[in-house]
Every structure is written in structure tokens, then in C-alpha cells.
């Protein structure tokens, strides 16, 4: 079984795919055979899953063993409506057998498998499961991607507490964008003063990957 790393986030559009690609490159540069799967993607029209296409192109560049892998392998479940899977699927039960089959197929080709979630931790998938439940189900290590804009303290702490409530260990990574230059003044001091390791996606990807692999 490959090392499974589940990339989740405090919300949608925080940078999960961006971070997943950085992680793939970092592990590949360190000699690991890398793989990736995005379990569910919504907002997919005519089978064109944009996040999945980005991930497929990169993983095929980094790992020749993925040359025959298809977009349907990388994104097993897609919905057209850009909404929570519970809404987009009309509360259809999640096909765990399909997801398990795809994960087992892909991890046979790699040493590290990046599993990307959809939206935030408490996004409802069907009538019984939320995104956070998939981390435990697939026995993965969690990477929580959070933002650096005003409100990140609240969003980050709520997500970390949700993970702790389910006894899920995680690494937190801050995805700071160009408009977040005031992070050092308005939010970062809290994290530094309360003992957080402020690991940033663009600056500390090597450390992030080291800690994740050893959790």
C-alpha cells in the first residue's frame, strides 16, 4: 500500500489542487514514484474535469507508470452542478467500491498517493458521509490547506478541531496569495504566539512533505 496523503482545506477555492501539484513535484524530485486521485469533482461539463486534467497531466509527466491512466481513473466521480456532492448528486449514496477500486489501481503504480478532496472538511457527500469521513475510511494522513486572508484564524482553528474530534492527525499548510501581504500583521502573530508551525505552501513544501510522510 502506498503512503496515502489526503489534501483537504478550510473551504473551496483555497488551493487544494495547487498544493497537491506542489507536493507531487516535491516527492518526485526526492525519488518517490508519485500518484494522485481526486475522488469527486463537481462543476464538470461534458466530462471535462479541469482539476483532474491538471493533475493527470502532471502525474504522467512525473511518473511514467501512469502513462495509461485515464481521466476517469484520476476523477472517478463527477457531477455537473458546481455544488456540494450531496446536492449535485441528489443525495445519491457514495460509491465506495468504485473509489476503493480506483485507489488500489493507482497506488499499485506509486509510492505516495495524493488524494484530493472537494471543498472543505464538512462538505456533505451523501446522506451519511462528509468529506472528513473519507480521510478515516481510506486510512490517509491529512494535509489541511488554509488561507492567509482575514478570517483564517477562525477557519483554521475550526477545521483543526473537526479533525481532532475524529482523532485525525494533520499538517496545516498556509497557502498565501499575492493579496495576502498583510498576513504577517493581521493573523500570523496569533499562530506564532500560540505555538503553531506556520508552514507555507510556497516556502516550506519540503518540510510539509517530510512531516506528512512521517506521520
Amino acid at each position: 500500500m502506498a503512503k496515502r496523503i489526503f489534501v483537504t482545506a478550510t473551504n473551496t477555492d483555497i488551493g487544494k489542487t495547487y498544493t497537491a501539484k506542489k507536493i507531487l513535484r516535491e516527492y518526485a524530485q526526492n525519488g518517490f514514484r508519485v500518484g494522485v486521485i481526486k475522488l469527486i469533482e463537481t462543476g464538470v461539463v461534458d466530462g471535462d474535469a479541469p482539476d483532474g486534467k491538471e493533475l493527470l497531466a502532471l502525474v504522467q509527466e512525473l511518473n511514467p507508470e501512469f502513462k495509461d491512466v485515464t481521466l476517469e481513473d484520476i476523477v472517478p466521480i463527477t457531477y455537473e452542478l458546481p455544488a456540494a456532492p450531496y446536492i449535485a448528486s441528489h443525495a445519491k449514496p457514495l460509491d465506495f467500491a468504485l473509489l476503493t477500486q480506483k485507489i488500489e489501481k493507482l497506488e499499485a503504480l506509486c509510492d505516495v498517493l495524493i488524494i484530493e478532496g472537494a471543498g472543505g472538511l464538512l462538505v456533505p457527500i451523501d446522506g451519511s458521509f462528509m468529506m472528513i469521513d473519507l480521510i478515516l475510511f481510506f486510512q490517509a494522513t491529512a494535509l489541511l490547506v488554509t488561507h492567509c486572508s482575514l478570517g483564517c484564524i477562525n477557519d483554521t482553528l475550526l477545521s483543526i478541531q473537526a479533525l481532532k474530534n475524529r482523532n485525525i492527525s494533520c499538517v496545516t499548510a498556509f497557502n498565501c496569495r499575492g493579496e495576502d501581504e498583510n498576513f504577517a500583521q493581521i493573523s500570523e502573530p496569533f499562530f506564532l504566539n500560540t505555538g503553531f508551525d506556520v508552514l507555507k505552501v510556497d516556502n516550506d513544501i519540503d518540510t510539509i512533505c517530510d512531516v506528512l510522510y512521517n506521520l
Side-chain angles (χ1 to χ4, degrees):
M1 184 170 125
K3 172 70 176 182
R4 297 174 179 178
I5 296 172
F6 196 107
V7 179
T8 186
T10 53
N11 209 321
T12 191
D13 196 30
I14 299 297
K16 291 187 300 296
T17 301
Y18 176 80
T19 302
K21 290 166 67 177
K22 298 274 286 190
I23 292 171
L24 288 167
R25 289 191 183 279
E26 178 67 20
Y27 281 126
Q29 289 171 5
N30 283 279
F32 291 96
R33 298 179 306 149
V34 294
V36 68
I37 185 170
K38 184 176 176 73
L39 302 176
I40 305 168
E41 187 168 346
T42 63
V44 175
V45 180
D46 296 328
D48 184 23
D51 289 348
K53 287 174 71 175
E54 285 187 38
L55 294 169
L56 176 60
L58 179 60
V59 77
Q60 288 181 330
E61 171 191 329
L62 298 174
N63 184 355
E65 294 186 50
F66 270 65
K67 62 181 173 58
D68 295 324
V69 168
T70 67
L71 183 59
E72 289 72 24
D73 293 322
I74 298 294
V75 189
I77 297 175
T78 61
Y79 300 113
E80 184 172 347
L81 185 68
Y86 175 87
I87 302 296
S89 70
H90 304 289
K92 178 182 177 181
L94 186 65
D95 191 342
F96 279 96
L98 173 63
L99 296 181
T100 299
Q101 176 191 12
K102 295 296 187 181
I103 284 178
E104 290 177 350
K105 173 182 177 178
L106 297 181
E107 70 179 357
L109 308 175
C110 61
D111 307 310
V112 179
L113 180 67
I114 306 305
I115 304 172
E116 184 180 327
L121 286 166
L122 298 187
V123 166
I125 299 173
D126 59 19
S128 303
F129 296 95
M130 293 183 174
M131 197 59 58
I132 193 171
D133 298 313
L134 300 188
I135 304 174
L136 283 173
F137 183 86
F138 290 114
Q139 302 176 37
T141 298
L143 173 63
L144 175 67
V145 182
T146 188
H147 61 97
C148 298
S149 55
L150 186 63
C152 71
I153 296 173
N154 177 75
D155 295 347
T156 304
L157 295 183
L158 284 173
S159 293
I160 290 174
Q161 189 59 53
L163 290 162
K164 286 182 177 179
N165 288 346
R166 287 168 171 77
N167 295 315
I168 300 172
S169 298
C170 77
V171 175
T172 301
F174 290 82
N175 184 34
C176 296
R177 295 165 171 165
E179 63 271 21
D180 297 324
E181 66 274 0
N182 57 359
F183 175 66
Q185 287 76 45
I186 65 172
S187 299
E188 189 173 22
F190 168 81
F191 293 109
L192 294 175
N193 293 338
T194 53
F196 269 75
D197 288 327
V198 179
L199 299 174
K200 298 178 182 178
V201 173
D202 283 334
N203 298 338
D204 305 303
I205 199 67
D206 53 345
T207 302
I208 291 167
C209 288
D210 283 345
V211 177
L212 280 170
Y213 193 80
N214 290 295
L215 272 183

